[in-house]
Amino acid sequence: MKEIEITTSAQLYNDISELSLEDKMLMHKASEARKTAYAPYSKFSVGAALLLENNQIVLGNNQENAAYPSGMCAERVAIWKAGSDFPGVRIKKLAISASSSIARVDKPIGPCGACRQTLSEYEINQKEPMQVLFMGEFGEVVKTSSLLSLLPFSFDSTYL
Ligand code: THU
């Protein structure tokens, strides 16, 4: 047996004003997208904005359902829209913004495990990293240089 160590790193910004112009613009798009989320059950709204290589921006937000597991996260709504409408176009970055109508969300909210798994397949297929930025409604922003840095030991098609 040998111990292996897996490390990851991220950039932490105090707030959105510290981001580059492009990142700031994308995060603003994610916050706008969050405002039309359909989240009557959790009251927790998430917006996602993807910047594609062709400069197209694809938005998504969470869509809940009375049959709770039938709902879907913002990130997967966005990535599937991109995969459907712009197949094969590389995704440069993803911005995620989250808020709640019953609590103050001032911590960065990372994508859930299922979204990381889903997004990782797009990153693997495009053979180039997809940057990921995430935040709450206020406060700090986390930026990672790739999706796989958020998901060590991910499952992929080579195992099948
Ligand atoms: N949600 C997302 O949209 N993205 C995530 O990565 C985590 C959770 C949504 C799903 C559900 O509508 C609400 O947030 C509460 O879990």
Side-chain angles (χ1 to χ4, degrees), residues 9-11 13 19 23 26-27 49-50 75 91-96 109-111 115-116 119-120 123 129-135 141-150:
S9 71
Q11 296 175 339
Y13 297 86
L19 298 178
D23 289 357
L26 198 63
M27 190 54 89
L50 295 165
E75 296 88 332
I91 299 160
K92 282 171 66 180
K93 44 183 90 167
L94 159 66
I96 304 163
I109 306 294
C115 285
R116 292 178 200 206
L119 293 161
S120 73
E123 183 174 82
M130 187 191 304
Q131 297 177 354
V132 184
L133 297 115
F134 52 89
M135 67 178 296
V141 185
V142 171
K143 180 175 181 178
T144 64
S145 56
S146 76
L147 203 283
L148 283 171
S149 64
L150 288 171

Side-chain angles (χ1 to χ4, degrees), residues 38-39 42 44 46 61-64 72-75 110-112 115:
Y38 177 60
S42 72
F44 193 83
V46 184
N61 53 33
N62 52 328
Q63 296 292 318
E64 297 186 348
M72 187 44 63
C73 292
E75 296 88 332
C112 78
C115 285

Side-chain angles (χ1 to χ4, degrees), residues 75-142:
E75 296 88 332
R76 276 176 284 170
V77 169
I79 198 93
W80 288 334
K81 258 169 94 177
S84 167
D85 291 351
F86 302 98
V89 180
R90 186 172 81 85
I91 299 160
K92 282 171 66 180
K93 44 183 90 167
L94 159 66
I96 304 163
S97 168
S99 69
S100 164
S101 58
I102 52 171
R104 179 181 166 89
V105 181
D106 53 13
K107 286 193 295 280
I109 306 294
C112 78
C115 285
R116 292 178 200 206
Q117 176 62 37
T118 305
L119 293 161
S120 73
E121 185 144 337
Y122 289 80
E123 183 174 82
I124 290 167
N125 286 347
Q126 71 179 19
K127 297 186 182 69
E128 280 194 52
M130 187 191 304
Q131 297 177 354
V132 184
L133 297 115
F134 52 89
M135 67 178 296
E137 187 176 2
F138 312 99
E140 293 177 337
V141 185
V142 171

Side-chain angles (χ1 to χ4, degrees), residues 39-61:
Y41 306 107
S42 72
K43 320 281 188 210
F44 193 83
S45 296
V46 184
L50 295 165
L51 175 63
L52 310 191
E53 188 175 43
N54 61 6
N55 286 326
Q56 189 79 35
I57 289 173
V58 177
L59 304 177
N61 53 33

